[in-house]
Each structure stands twice: as C-alpha cells, then as structure tokens.
C-alpha cells in the first residue's frame, strides 16, 4: 500500500494557478494516482486520475513524472469556490486500496 | 455516475445505544465502502462491503462494533454498536462506479452522528 505525503495547507489568491504536489515513493507498477476534492459537509468528489505523463480534464491537470514517485495536481485560475481539501490517493490497478491521506487544505483568498 | 442516498443524515444518540445507517445506490455496484470522518480530519476506511461476501474490515475496526450488511447490489447498512462519545463522527458510504476511471469513487452526503 503506497503511502502518500502532501502539504497540510496552501493559500492562494483568486485567478492564480495552484499546484499541489503529492509524494508516493513506493507506488506499485499497477497503481493509479487519483485526486479528490472535498467541501465542508460533503463527501469527497473525484477530480482526476492518471498513470503517467499528463492528464487534463475540464477541472484540472495532473502531471506525473517518469518515475511516478510523485504527482502534481494543477488547478488553473482558482476562484473562491475552489477552497476545499484536496486528497491524493494511490489506488490499486484492480480498484482496491482506497485509502485517504491527510489531504491539503487549500484556501483561496480574494 | 452513481447517486447515493444515506439515512439518517444526522442523529443524536445516547451512549450505549446502537444506530444503523442505510446506504441506497441508484445503480447496481459491486464494491461498496464505509468510511468515518471525524471533525477536521481525513477519511478513515472502516470496511469494504462486496455483495455476496463478508465485509472486510480495516485494522482497528471489528465486526462486533461495526456490523455491515450487503443484501443486494444497491443497498448496504452499517451499524455503530454500543456507542460512546468517541464514535461521534460523520459516516460516509461510497461505491466504485462503472466508469473508465479505476480510482473513481462516488460518495453519499454522509451521516453525522453525535453521541452524548
């Protein structure tokens, strides 16, 4: 089971790009890197998933270097509504090991 | 996607009592998970409940304290037994949906329990 490490908190201002990095040194060959967003009083919401290189969707981009020991979630031009906790998970290739780490609490300031 | 309904959304319970949380999914799913989230903390996986098999509990969680039922592919219950104030938490049901993303879970809104 790959352990993940993220910054506990980050601050940003509206309109800036935010990059949150997650370390997962013992990731296995079949593991996927997945990111979730959680607002207060709600369950987490899936944002993006990747295996290697770069993945982009309408919400975010995910950058994964060749060694896959880390990943970076990039949120373009954040707004106040992006204030949330962001979790990085390393999930087994067969959809197992959904273990949440401490997450990163992002505060977007006006 | 999958839409998950949890009941109750919140409850206040007395010490020593038990409470059953229901999780209803709008589609058939194989993998279902129960999490606990204490105020200001991350999620902790309690158990995995797959239909047709016994629930698999994570370290620190036992069946006597958190019995789980999974009678079919759209429904599950989690019981918090003999509650103490330390069990005050948000309990979340989640499912592995039929999407292309291996790591994609769908979550309910959670059940907030307060034990007095």
């Amino acid at each position: 089971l790959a352990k993940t490490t993220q910054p506990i908190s980050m601050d940003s201002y509206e309109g800036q790009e935010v990059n949150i990095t997650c370390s997962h040194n013992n990731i296995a060959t079949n593991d996927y890197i997945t990111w979730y967003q959680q607002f207060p009083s709600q369950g987490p919401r899936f944002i993006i998933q990747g295996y290697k290189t770069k993945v982009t969707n309408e919400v975010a981009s995910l950058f994964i270097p060749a060694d896959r020991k880390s990943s970076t979630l990039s949120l373009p031009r954040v707004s106040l509504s992006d204030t949330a906790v962001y979790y990085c998970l390393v999930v087994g290739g067969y959809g197992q090991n959904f273990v949440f780490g401490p997450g990163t609490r992002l505060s977007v300031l006006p | 996607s999958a839409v998950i309904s949890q009941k109750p959304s919140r409850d206040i319970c007395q010490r020593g009592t038990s409470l059953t949380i229901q999780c209803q999914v709008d589609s058939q799913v194989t993998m279902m998970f129960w999490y606990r989230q204490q105020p200001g903390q991350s999620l902790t996986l309690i158990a995995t409940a797959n239909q047709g098999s016994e629930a698999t509990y994570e370290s620190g969680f036992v069946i006597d304290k958190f019995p789980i039922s999974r009678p079919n592919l759209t429904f599950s219950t989690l019981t918090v037994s003999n509650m103490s104030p330390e069990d005050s938490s948000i309990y979340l049901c989640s499912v592995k949906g039929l999407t292309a993303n291996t790591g994609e879970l769908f979550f309910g809104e959670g059940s907030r329990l307060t034990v007095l």
Side-chain angles (χ1 to χ4, degrees):
Chain A
L1 191 64
K3 180 181 177 182
T4 59
T5 304
Q6 305 172 232
I8 295 298
S9 64
M10 294 180 68
D11 290 338
S12 181
Y13 291 95
E14 281 191 291
Q16 289 187 331
E17 178 184 78
V18 171
N19 295 310
I20 305 175
T21 297
C22 177
S23 297
H24 27 79
N25 290 322
N26 58 339
I27 188 170
T29 302
N30 294 329
D31 289 343
Y32 287 81
I33 299 151
T34 307
W35 286 80
Y36 284 78
Q37 175 191 57
Q38 186 179 28
F39 297 115
S41 302
Q42 295 185 21
R45 181 177 73 104
F46 172 88
I47 300 175
I48 197 167
Q49 170 181 297
Y51 183 79
K52 61 181 179 180
T53 64
K54 177 183 174 181
V55 179
T56 296
N57 63 21
E58 65 278 6
V59 177
S61 295
L62 179 59
F63 298 91
I64 304 168
D67 66 5
R68 303 198 331 120
K69 292 183 182 299
S70 67
S71 59
T72 299
L73 175 74
S74 181
L75 304 173
R77 298 179 299 281
V78 295
S79 64
L80 296 177
S81 62
D82 291 316
T83 293
V85 178
Y86 292 82
Y87 297 97
C88 164
L89 280 73
V90 174
V91 178
Y94 296 101
Q96 72 274 26
N97 300 330
F98 288 93
V99 177
F100 284 76
T104 298
R105 188 173 299 273
L106 173 65
S107 298
V108 180
L109 308 173
Chain B
S1 67
V3 177
I4 301 169
S5 301
Q6 280 188 238
K7 292 181 181 180
S9 58
R10 60 177 62 231
D11 206 340
I12 299 174
C13 308
Q14 296 298 319
R15 181 196 297 261
T17 63
S18 298
L19 182 77
T20 295
I21 302 167
Q22 299 180 3
C23 178
Q24 180 72 53
V25 190
D26 69 341
S27 56
Q28 294 185 336
V29 293
T30 302
M31 300 180 71
M32 185 175 284
F33 307 89
W34 286 98
Y35 287 88
R36 180 173 74 182
Q37 186 172 31
Q38 296 178 315
Q41 303 296 313
S42 180
L43 287 78
T44 301
L45 181 61
I46 297 172
T48 301
N50 293 333
Q51 197 271 338
S53 62
E54 295 290 323
T56 302
Y57 289 83
E58 297 298 308
S59 175
F61 298 95
V62 295
I63 188 172
D64 290 346
K65 176 68 175 177
F66 298 100
I68 288 171
S69 77
R70 184 77 202 276
N72 57 52
L73 291 173
T74 64
F75 187 78
S76 177
T77 67
L78 169 76
T79 299
V80 186
S81 303
N82 188 24
M83 288 185 285
S84 67
E86 292 72 33
D87 294 319
S88 296
S89 190
I90 298 172
Y91 292 84
L92 293 144
C93 168
S94 70
V95 302
K96 176 77 177 67
L98 292 177
T99 71
N101 295 307
T102 306
E104 185 169 7
L105 293 181
F106 297 92
F107 282 83
E109 292 296 309
S111 299
R112 182 184 295 270
L113 301 188
T114 301
V115 184
L116 304 178

